[in-house]
Amino acid sequence: MSLKWWSPLLCLALASCSQLENPGNVTANEAATRAPSADGDHMVSINVADAPPPTPLPASRADRPWPAAALENGTAWISCSTDYATEPGDGEELAGLAREQIEPALQACAARGLLRVRYSGKVNAGFAELVWRLSVVADQFGIHKRILDLDSSGGQVESAIVAGDSIGESNWTIWVREGSICHSACVFVLAAGDNRLVSGKVGIHRMMRISSKATSRAELNRELHEVYDNVKDYLQRNGVAVGVADLMMTVPNRSLRLLSAEELRQFGLDGTNAVQDDLERIKQMRVCGDDFVRRKDAFLVAFDQQCKHEGAELEAVNTCGQALKERFGFPDPVCPQESPLSEIDVATLPPAPTAPASEQALVPGQAEPGTAEAPGEAALAQDAASH
């Protein structure tokens, strides 16, 4: 993967900020209280000229070497279930980024074909390696349903874009669930998901180049011009409005501008990735037929209108979406894996590996046949567009 997207770091929130009067914004001090505890350090930007030269990569990402790497200021947990509300919750903590540590952690999810990664911490080089290595091993084990359950106050822009490009090639759905945040550089990671479901807080602010040698506004603007061109190109290829980058320019880096649910939809940061949707519609039209695509479109419209209310918890949103399945004829008998909420259809998924033997007929959080669905394990309705 080319590293030409070296760009500045998004400065993390500074605790000395004063209270903003605009109720749509929060100060950096407020943001820090919502951030993972390890995310309090200030980030420094990198001049393009200071970035290391790109490393030639093999044609196949599976053939790329695995150098020593580690997560810094971040923690990842592995689960084979979408149910985070009950035991075991976020799953088992990932011991490290070595192949011999990742492969055993994901092997349990191979039979089910479903992986959820909970990540809490900074967006940095270690996070970018995490996403890439998990994708390689998930390919190896045939795990094609992938969820990145994200909670991050931001970090390095260049690492966010490297991670985002890996996510965009690897069929990830991204959650920002209730109580979680996705601020600053994390927004670029959110942009890359095939689908995104947001119940937590998403916030942006201006990029900062601490290593800049600019002495005037004009010089600083010239330095940032190339950076923003790269960022806008990245957003465009992920189906996100470039207005996000323009809005970032107006928010001081010591502050934070929270995006409303309506703004997230308008910018293309919530719901189906428009670019990925175009690609998938071509395939689904050919394999599943016109009727399937029309019903899927109608389902997603109803899901947006009836289930995705601002402030709604992710669990409740998904439970509402589940109730729409039968109305629109899902799971589809011809294309069950492409159907909305296919992750928790008992007919297409084996039991989660943590289920007791006496409960192997049921998916955890799933109600017995003929009863109301329990609000335990649930997945994204938008995931039908790409899975």
Side-chain angles (χ1 to χ4, degrees), residues 10-13 153 183-185 203-207 228 247-249 251-257:
L10 280 183
C11 181
L12 293 178
S153 62
H183 293 167
S184 193
I204 59 175
H205 60 177
R206 185 179 174 88
M207 299 179 188
Y228 275 90
L247 184 57
M248 284 178 175
M249 289 289 284
V251 182
N253 61 71
R254 293 178 181 269
S255 302
L256 191 73
R257 168 71 151 77

Side-chain angles (χ1 to χ4, degrees), residues 40 49 115 117 159 208 218 296 357 378:
L115 167 68
V117 181
S159 293
M208 185 174 182
K296 186 199 75 173

Side-chain angles (χ1 to χ4, degrees), residues 157-176:
V157 170
E158 68 269 15
S159 293
I161 291 178
V162 169
D165 282 337
S166 181
I167 288 169
E169 298 172 353
S170 308
N171 305 115
W172 287 87
T173 288
I174 297 181
W175 288 358
V176 182

Side-chain angles (χ1 to χ4, degrees), residues 24 198 202 257-267 270 310:
V198 179
V202 177
R257 168 71 151 77
L258 293 181
L259 300 178
S260 68
E262 181 59 29
E263 287 175 322
L264 289 171
R265 286 190 290 270
Q266 290 177 349
F267 286 130
D270 189 16
E310 188 161 10

Side-chain angles (χ1 to χ4, degrees), residues 28-331:
N29 188 48
E30 291 171 324
T33 65
R34 303 172 183 170
S37 58
D39 275 4
D41 298 334
H42 305 323
M43 301 298 294
V44 295
S45 63
I46 300 175
N47 285 325
V48 175
D50 297 332
T55 302
L57 298 177
S60 171
R61 63 179 180 171
D63 295 331
R64 204 192 89 173
W66 284 45
L71 285 178
E72 296 182 2
N73 297 320
T75 306
W77 295 265
I78 303 298
S79 173
C80 310
S81 166
T82 59
D83 184 3
Y84 59 87
T86 60
E87 291 295 333
D90 291 331
E92 296 293 327
E93 183 175 341
L94 185 65
L97 298 185
R99 185 185 286 273
E100 57 269 23
Q101 293 170 309
I102 292 180
E103 287 183 347
L106 268 61
Q107 191 167 18
C109 301
R112 204 163 199 233
L114 170 65
L115 167 68
R116 177 169 60 90
V117 181
R118 171 69 170 175
Y119 179 77
S120 179
K122 287 184 180 180
V123 175
N124 52 25
F127 171 75
E129 279 294 317
L130 169 72
V131 171
W132 177 80
R133 296 179 184 206
L134 288 172
S135 299
V136 170
V137 176
D139 286 344
Q140 174 185 325
F141 287 133
I143 305 172
H144 301 299
K145 299 181 186 299
R146 307 167 188 179
I147 298 169
L148 177 58
D149 185 354
L150 196 56
D151 184 20
S152 174
S153 62
Q156 303 171 356
V157 170
E158 68 269 15
S159 293
I161 291 178
V162 169
D165 282 337
S166 181
I167 288 169
E169 298 172 353
S170 308
N171 305 115
W172 287 87
T173 288
I174 297 181
W175 288 358
V176 182
R177 72 193 199 208
E178 62 279 357
S180 295
I181 61 173
C182 184
H183 293 167
S184 193
C186 176
V187 174
F188 298 131
V189 179
L190 178 64
D194 284 8
N195 292 294
R196 313 84 152 201
L197 190 58
V198 179
S199 292
K201 302 296 184 183
V202 177
I204 59 175
H205 60 177
R206 185 179 174 88
M207 299 179 188
M208 185 174 182
R209 305 188 76 186
I210 297 176
S211 59
S212 170
K213 297 179 174 59
T215 58
S216 67
R217 294 181 186 178
E219 290 177 352
L220 182 60
N221 184 66
R222 284 194 294 271
E223 285 186 357
L224 291 178
H225 183 74
E226 180 181 354
V227 170
Y228 275 90
D229 283 347
N230 291 340
V231 166
K232 288 179 179 181
D233 182 74
Y234 171 82
L235 293 173
Q236 283 181 321
R237 68 176 179 265
N238 283 292
V240 176
V242 296
V244 173
D246 295 331
L247 184 57
M248 284 178 175
M249 289 289 284
T250 69
V251 182
N253 61 71
R254 293 178 181 269
S255 302
L256 191 73
R257 168 71 151 77
L258 293 181
L259 300 178
S260 68
E262 181 59 29
E263 287 175 322
L264 289 171
R265 286 190 290 270
Q266 290 177 349
F267 286 130
L269 286 168
D270 189 16
T272 303
N273 184 310
V275 178
Q276 184 66 26
D277 190 46
D278 285 346
L279 293 173
E280 292 298 328
R281 284 174 67 88
I282 296 171
K283 181 185 71 173
Q284 291 172 356
M285 190 77 71
R286 182 170 58 247
V287 176
C288 306
D290 294 352
D291 177 67
F292 176 94
V293 173
R294 285 194 294 268
R295 283 186 290 116
K296 186 199 75 173
D297 289 344
F299 175 91
L300 293 177
V301 170
F303 180 81
D304 286 342
Q305 293 176 347
Q306 299 178 31
C307 302
K308 295 176 65 176
H309 305 296
E310 188 161 10
E313 293 188 353
L314 178 59
E315 193 175 4
V317 171
N318 285 330
T319 300
C320 172
Q322 270 286 77
L324 294 175
K325 286 198 309 179
E326 185 175 354
R327 173 182 164 189
F328 289 93
F330 295 114

